[in-house]
Amino acid sequence: MKTAISTILGGFLCLAAAAAPEFDTAAAVTASAPGAAFLQGEQLAFRWTQPERSPGKWQLRDWRNRLIRQGDWPEDGRKKLLLAPLPNGYYKLELSGGAGSRGFAVVPDPAGRENNPEQFFAMDSAQSWLARPDAGNPRQPDKPFEVVSETARRAGLRMVRERLNWAEVEAVPGKYDWLQYQTNADLLAERGIQVLGMYHHAPEWVRRKEGKLPVDLAATYRFAQKAAEHFRGKMTVWEFWNEQDIGFSLEAAWDYAAALKAASLGFKSADPKLPVAIGGYALTPLLPYADVVMENGAGEYFDIFNVHTYRPICEFSEALRSVRDHLKRHNIADRPVWFTENGSNMEGAGRTGSYIPGLKAHSPEQELLIAEYLPKMMVTMQSLGAARDFFFVLPPYNETGGNKDWGLMRRDFTVKPGYAAFATLVDQLGNAAPEGEVRLGDGLKGFLYRRKEGGKILVYWSISELDTDKPRPGLSNADLKARTFALPLSGDIRGVDLVGTPFTAEAGRIPATRYPAFLTGVDALRADLPFHAPQAVLRPDRESAFDKTVIFRAELSGDFQIAVGKDCADVKKTPARFRLQVWNLSDREKRGTLAASGGSVTGIPAGVTLPPFGKTELELAFTPELDREFKGKLRIDGVFNGRRATPLAIPCRSVTEMNSSGRKIEMPQLLDPANWRRNSAGTVTIEHDASEQAIRFTTRFPAGANRWSYPEYTLQLPQESLAGALGVAFEAKVSKPAAVQQMLLMAVPQAGKDVYLKTDRPAGEYKEHFIAFPSDLDTGKIVKLRLGVNALEDEITVSVRNVRIFYRR
């Protein structure tokens, strides 16, 4: 009987053991190196953190999932696991009883390389915001700021981009608390890493209640001056604001230009040789907003043109062309171009769950897609003439409701394979200059570099979907695009793969895959397409013909309405009242005169006196001169103490004048549901509302859908041709205003790309909307219009009526 009971009990215990949940290896095993990023030659030590259970056997695999070593954990986990030295690379430690793996990198020690402060390859660390201690993250390391800083050093970074919140630092005027921004500046400086400093979030006392940009230019000057002085030698470049062309600012382009001028003067007062970058534009091709900033004389106040892109690699050339055209238009083609955010959307939303509820994480496949993308992106951007590129982003970060996983570090602050790819890129090319592209054969890309210490290096890869395609769901790296090619060289050639692991190859049969690799011993190679660097020079102490300390700023009355693109003011009634502020950001009194153009401006005095670090305000009224497109421009110029000030320029239009005296056609046929095609991520019901003489679109979205609804109307040509059209006006309302993320009109041409035109979000009652067509759009080629919304809830109703098309006089 005892034997039977023992047998039954033992069976139960075996079943219980078999049913026990697997442990998460990433949680149970910690690496002794910060971020699990070991330097070459450093002891590879790992600790088992769950003494109540056994770690079992371990296996070591490389980034290609090949088994390298295996064994038993010393003393069943009571001792550290010490691995014998490994080549540079990315590795995974797996345990027999666990799920997943403990990933770690072995990277070259940057102390063995010459420091290149002008290194092209940089990164947005954003650590003061993204690495704050987080009680909701049980696996965050004890000192996350130190971990990120040291991990940045080990990657070979020479410059990172940091963030600062002005409202946190100077909540009370004149009282500064530098908080974690001081901590991180010190940590990075100790490691020889320069910082590109950027700030936004103006405190309440320096901005309008409903605004985001500062309106007190003297306070803006003082804060920039104080920040530059305080972080002297640590934050070695400053940029003012972030993505001002989209939601980080609500104000118009001329308001941003005025604030930029004040901040630049503050930075330069602390150090005239301190480089200043314009705030990074979010969108390429650049919007008209950027042109308006320049029309306000902003080019006199920055040394570096700054832009962001998350576009696919195949569109980089178009993005750079837009930037170059902009610089040429405004006579600043000599400014270096920095991409201070450059990230990937190619891998899509996270495919696996996170240990933090509500967040998604990259799958192993997605991590390798990022590792492939990063060097391709950076080498391509350098070949196109960008002066510096910052990958977004180093620490972990989730967006889009937690679904989009950013960062070369996981939520436990250990590094992904892309980190090893970046460290390898820096080790191989950080001190090298591009010579040009080498033609290696169909399906291959190759770029030749010359190292500062001598010798050439070839970076190459097989072309994959990351090179040629746009983002699409479920992108896979299963096809390695493996092939071989030959070089006109003799003997064996040495190289390192994507993550730095050495290999040798015969010159006549060199392996290539979708993952970039690097070859040395190629000094006899010549570039087939030589690299032509733009004639851009960083000259932070360039002289100006203007008195830059005099700045104009306008407070527009309700007689104006700022366009959605923040690049134009609609003059709703004339004369239109506004208050002109004339600021003097110098310690000397200044006297001068003002001149206005673009129409009639009343209220300008014969002379203006400006107190030191103060302003004079004038109540003025403007009646514009409008061209045949009902457009004009208010411009204020001035001369003070014998020198010109940079202008205030406000592009304007008059929808009122367009509506009363312009040529227009009404489109009652838009009210017929039969003329619309359903185009939505949900189910659309289209109805005619006779009582309101409107067309009504009700969309119901399935759970988890991307909630977009853009019903499509095909123009009835030729009577509805948009040739010569200036824009579309209509009235709209929505069932739930708070449930609308954005409203767009899409102009669809016969061939080519759709043009997305944004308007204000609709209200709960009918509200007039006017959407202007861009001046460079060939409206005669438009054959369809789509009008709709991106919603925040699963059901939305949009009603539209009184649609009119306006044409040139």
Side-chain angles (χ1 to χ4, degrees):
M1 186 70 176
K2 182 178 178 182
T3 303
I5 293 174
S6 299
T7 302
I8 294 171
L9 183 59
F12 277 125
L13 291 174
C14 290
L15 287 172
E22 293 180 321
F23 56 80
D24 183 349
T25 302
V29 177
T30 61
S32 60
F38 292 93
L39 295 177
Q40 182 56 245
E42 192 172 14
Q43 176 66 66
L44 303 174
F46 300 88
R47 185 170 64 88
W48 173 249
T49 65
Q50 299 186 4
E52 70 278 5
R53 65 172 79 198
S54 170
K57 295 183 179 294
W58 59 266
Q59 290 186 336
L60 180 67
R61 296 182 181 273
D62 68 7
W63 67 286
R64 293 181 184 272
N65 211 37
R66 296 176 297 199
L67 181 64
I68 305 297
R69 300 172 190 166
Q70 56 187 336
D72 294 310
W73 198 291
E75 296 189 15
D76 205 25
R78 290 187 294 277
K79 279 192 173 183
K80 288 182 179 180
L81 173 63
L82 304 179
L83 297 179
L86 289 166
N88 295 331
Y90 193 84
Y91 301 92
K92 299 182 295 181
L93 193 63
E94 298 175 347
L95 300 178
S96 57
S101 63
R102 157 53 57 224
F104 66 95
V106 180
V107 298
D109 188 342
R113 295 193 297 270
E114 181 182 350
N115 182 12
N116 177 15
E118 304 305 318
Q119 180 174 283
F120 175 83
F121 310 106
M123 200 171 293
D124 190 339
S125 75
Q127 61 201 67
S128 287
W129 291 359
L130 303 186
R132 298 181 197 227
D134 180 7
N137 182 357
R139 299 188 196 173
Q140 187 183 55
D142 290 337
K143 298 179 178 180
F145 292 144
E146 291 188 21
V147 170
V148 173
S149 299
E150 178 60 17
T151 306
R153 183 191 75 83
R154 292 174 175 232
L157 279 160
R158 302 305 184 191
M159 175 173 279
V160 299
R161 181 177 186 243
E162 253 279 60
R163 316 297 177 90
L164 188 148
N165 186 320
W166 181 4
E168 287 182 326
V169 170
E170 195 186 6
V172 177
K175 294 185 177 180
Y176 302 94
D177 185 349
W178 298 103
L179 302 166
Q180 73 270 24
Y181 309 111
Q182 177 72 66
T183 301
N184 282 300
D186 292 343
L187 289 170
L188 291 164
E190 290 166 5
R191 291 162 172 80
I193 301 174
Q194 301 178 47
V195 177
L196 164 61
M198 180 276 294
Y199 69 87
H200 54 86
H201 294 322
E204 291 183 2
W205 58 268
V206 81
R207 60 176 171 83
R208 289 194 298 264
K209 183 178 180 180
E210 71 283 3
K212 293 190 175 184
L213 285 174
V215 298
D216 185 335
L217 300 191
T220 304
Y221 174 101
R222 288 192 298 270
F223 182 76
Q225 179 187 56
K226 190 71 174 180
E229 289 176 345
H230 186 79
F231 292 107
R232 187 188 302 275
K234 296 175 181 177
M235 295 192 181
T236 55
V237 181
W238 279 95
E239 63 174 301
F240 177 71
W241 230 252
N242 179 67
E243 298 187 346
Q244 60 277 357
D245 53 331
I246 58 170
F248 286 94
S249 118
L250 304 176
E251 293 81 0
W254 48 91
D255 292 320
Y256 171 74
L260 167 66
K261 295 174 184 181
S264 175
L265 292 173
F267 293 138
K268 298 283 189 180
S269 71
D271 180 359
K273 295 185 178 182
L274 182 65
V276 173
I278 194 169
Y281 287 112
L283 301 177
T284 55
L286 295 172
L287 300 175
Y289 176 101
D291 288 313
V292 176
V293 172
M294 292 303 301
E295 289 170 13
N296 279 268
E300 297 292 323
Y301 294 84
F302 66 85
D303 312 297
I304 299 164
F305 190 80
N306 181 8
V307 65
H308 301 164
T309 190
Y310 292 84
R311 299 177 69 174
I313 292 173
C314 62
E315 295 182 357
F316 280 6
S317 181
E318 181 183 346
L320 262 295
R321 184 164 51 251
S322 167
V323 170
R324 297 289 179 208
D325 289 347
H326 174 79
L327 299 183
K328 289 177 183 177
R329 268 197 311 276
H330 299 288
N331 298 313
I332 54 170
D334 62 334
R335 309 298 162 86
V337 176
W338 287 15
F339 280 82
T340 56
E341 288 185 24
N342 197 349
S344 169
N345 283 308
M346 295 298 291
E347 82 288 2
R351 298 177 191 169
T352 64
S354 169
Y355 65 87
I356 298 179
L359 299 184
K360 288 287 189 179
H362 281 155
S363 67
E365 182 175 47
Q366 287 177 300
E367 290 186 349
L368 285 179
L369 285 170
I370 294 297
E372 174 192 352
Y373 178 87
L374 191 154
K376 287 183 173 183
M377 172 269 284
M378 288 201 147
V379 169
T380 302
M381 194 63 80
Q382 189 174 28
S383 75
L384 292 169
R388 186 164 274 177
D389 198 20
F390 293 71
F391 182 78
F392 184 88
V393 62
L394 179 56
Y397 177 48
N398 283 70
E399 274 186 324
T400 319
N403 291 326
K404 181 64 175 80
D405 183 10
W406 300 100
L408 293 183
M409 305 176 84
R410 303 184 186 93
R411 280 284 162 181
D412 63 1
F413 283 66
T414 61
V415 298
K416 302 176 183 178
Y419 173 88
F422 181 84
T424 302
L425 179 69
V426 170
D427 180 57
Q428 296 296 309
L429 303 182
N431 288 335
E435 290 202 339
E437 187 170 351
V438 179
R439 293 193 177 108
L440 301 176
D442 292 342
L444 294 166
K445 274 281 187 184
F447 294 90
L448 193 64
Y449 284 72
R450 179 177 292 278
R451 284 175 161 167
K452 186 177 180 180
E453 61 271 24
K456 296 183 181 181
I457 186 166
L458 177 72
V459 54
Y460 70 95
W461 61 82
S462 293
I463 294 170
S464 75
E465 301 86 348
L466 293 189
D467 300 271
T468 60
D469 293 4
K470 295 182 180 181
R472 66 171 188 264
L475 187 66
S476 171
N477 58 4
D479 182 359
L480 291 177
K481 311 293 183 184
R483 64 191 68 209
T484 61
F485 65 96
L487 289 176
L489 305 170
S490 60
D492 289 344
I493 298 176
R494 295 184 180 276
V496 299
D497 67 13
L498 173 75
V499 294
T501 306
F503 69 90
T504 59
E506 298 175 7
R509 189 174 176 80
I510 299 172
T513 69
R514 64 191 298 144
Y515 299 111
F518 305 83
L519 296 178
T520 53
V522 294
D523 294 1
L525 285 183
R526 297 290 182 269
D528 296 302
L529 300 173
F531 175 68
H532 296 291
Q535 299 303 307
V537 180
L538 181 57
R539 290 169 46 210
D541 55 350
R542 61 166 49 88
E543 294 185 358
S544 174
F546 293 88
D547 181 347
K548 298 198 297 184
T549 64
V550 176
I551 304 173
F552 303 127
R553 187 181 174 281
E555 283 283 351
L556 303 184
S557 72
D559 298 339
F560 297 85
Q561 181 175 338
I562 306 302
V564 174
K566 304 180 291 187
D567 56 359
C568 180
D570 179 23
V571 181
K572 300 168 68 69
K573 59 175 286 190
T574 57
R577 297 166 294 111
F578 72 100
R579 189 164 69 252
L580 177 68
Q581 299 174 349
V582 187
W583 289 84
N584 173 19
L585 298 184
S586 77
D587 57 4
R588 296 171 53 205
E589 180 183 89
K590 296 192 176 179
R591 298 174 184 270
T593 57
L594 302 175
S597 59
S600 170
V601 177
T602 59
I604 295 179
V608 177
T609 300
L610 306 177
F613 286 102
K615 71 177 186 288
T616 294
E617 295 195 72
L618 305 171
E619 299 290 340
L620 307 179
F622 173 58
T623 302
E625 293 176 356
L626 302 174
D627 62 16
R628 60 191 296 262
E629 295 186 355
F630 304 94
K631 294 179 180 179
K633 184 179 295 180
L634 168 62
R635 181 180 171 110
I636 303 293
D637 288 280
V639 176
F640 289 83
N641 292 13
R643 298 182 67 196
R644 288 185 301 150
T646 55
L648 168 69
I650 303 179
C652 58
R653 66 178 179 230
S654 175
V655 177
T656 301
E657 183 68 17
M658 194 183 300
N659 200 30
S660 63
S661 63
R663 183 171 75 88
K664 63 179 180 290
I665 63 169
E666 297 182 353
M667 303 182 71
Q669 53 270 44
L670 268 77
L671 303 183
D672 184 352
N675 292 332
W676 289 86
R677 182 181 73 86
R678 291 162 178 81
N679 181 50
S680 171
T683 302
V684 184
T685 301
I686 307 176
E687 302 171 295
H688 176 240
D689 187 330
S691 64
E692 296 185 341
Q693 284 299 294
I695 188 84
R696 186 169 60 235
F697 308 97
T698 299
T699 308
R700 296 175 178 85
F701 301 98
N706 184 358
R707 304 184 189 97
W708 59 269
S709 182
Y710 287 92
E712 179 181 272
Y713 177 82
T714 300
L715 295 170
Q716 300 178 25
L717 301 175
Q719 64 269 29
E720 292 179 351
S721 171
L722 298 185
L726 300 175
V728 179
F730 57 90
E731 295 177 69
K733 71 174 183 178
V734 68
S735 56
K736 300 175 182 178
V740 177
Q741 182 180 10
Q742 67 176 353
M743 187 176 203
L744 296 174
L745 175 74
M746 300 179 189
V748 183
Q750 182 72 45
K753 294 183 179 180
D754 300 349
V755 179
Y756 288 21
L757 304 171
K758 197 171 183 180
T759 185
D760 295 319
R761 290 187 299 176
E765 301 297 331
Y766 280 109
K767 173 185 170 183
E768 178 81 358
H769 295 256
F770 175 76
I771 300 177
F773 292 128
S775 58
D776 60 350
L777 175 64
D778 187 349
T779 55
K781 294 182 178 179
I782 297 172
V783 295
K784 298 177 182 179
L785 296 174
R786 300 187 189 117
L787 179 64
V789 297
N790 292 77
L792 299 172
E793 295 185 11
D794 288 340
E795 182 172 335
I796 196 80
T797 297
V798 180
S799 300
V800 178
R801 70 184 185 186
N802 193 20
V803 180
R804 291 142 288 150
I805 308 294
F806 291 98
Y807 295 83
R808 298 182 181 92
R809 295 184 198 261

